[in-house]
Amino acid sequence: MARPAFSAKGKPVLHYMGTSTFSEYTVLPEIAVAKVNARAPLDKVCLLGCGITTGIGAVLKHRQGASGLLGCGVSGWGASACRWLQGAVMAKAGRIIAIDTNPEKFPMARSLGATDCINPKDQGVPVQQLIVDMTTVGSTTPSNASAM
C-alpha cells in the first residue's frame, strides 16, 4: 500500500482515491484532475464532482441490463440521496422509498419521484422490516446515501 500523502500529529491521514484533502491547495496525480472551462460557474460545476455521478451512476450501474428496478430504498437525504432518487426514476423503479429522520425533507423527495417516505423514528418495527412489509420482497437496490 502506498504511503499516505498527508499526516496529522504524526499519524497518516487516510483518504479515498489518493486525493481527499481538507487543504486549500494540494498536489494531485493527473488522473485525479478534470479541466473545467473557465467560463463555467463553479457553484454549479462543483455538483458534478460527487453527488450527481455517485448517485445516478450507482443506481444505473447496479441495474445495468435489467428492464427496471422493483424498488429502491434511499436513506440519508443529502445531495447523493437526491441523485440516487433521480437514478431510480431514470431506471423506472416501481417503488422508491425515501428514508430519513427529518420529515421536512420529504416534500423534496416526493417532488423528485419518491413514492413513499418513512421516518424510522415513527415506526414500531425496524425500518428493514417495514420495507419488506411494504414491498413484499424488500428493496432490490438499497442505499445508505449518507455514507456515500
Side-chain angles (χ1 to χ4, degrees), residues 84-148:
W84 258 86
L85 193 145
Q86 288 179 317
V89 169
M90 292 167 68
K92 298 180 180 16
R95 194 160 199 184
I96 303 168
I97 304 169
I99 306 160
D100 202 283
T101 57
N102 181 354
E104 291 180 12
K105 296 181 180 181
F106 293 156
M108 172 65 80
R110 284 189 182 95
S111 74
L112 293 173
T115 57
D116 302 273
C117 296
I118 300 173
N119 181 341
K121 292 182 176 181
D122 295 341
Q123 310 306 317
V125 297
V127 71
Q128 303 91 316
Q129 184 60 51
L130 185 61
I131 292 172
V132 169
D133 293 345
M134 290 172 69
T135 63
T136 68
V137 296
S139 173
T140 58
T141 307
S143 161
N144 180 347
S146 61
M148 295 182 67

Side-chain angles (χ1 to χ4, degrees), residues 58-71:
V59 173
L60 296 180
K61 180 140 179 81
H62 176 79
R63 71 134 214 138
Q64 200 170 35
S67 59
L69 298 170
L70 294 174

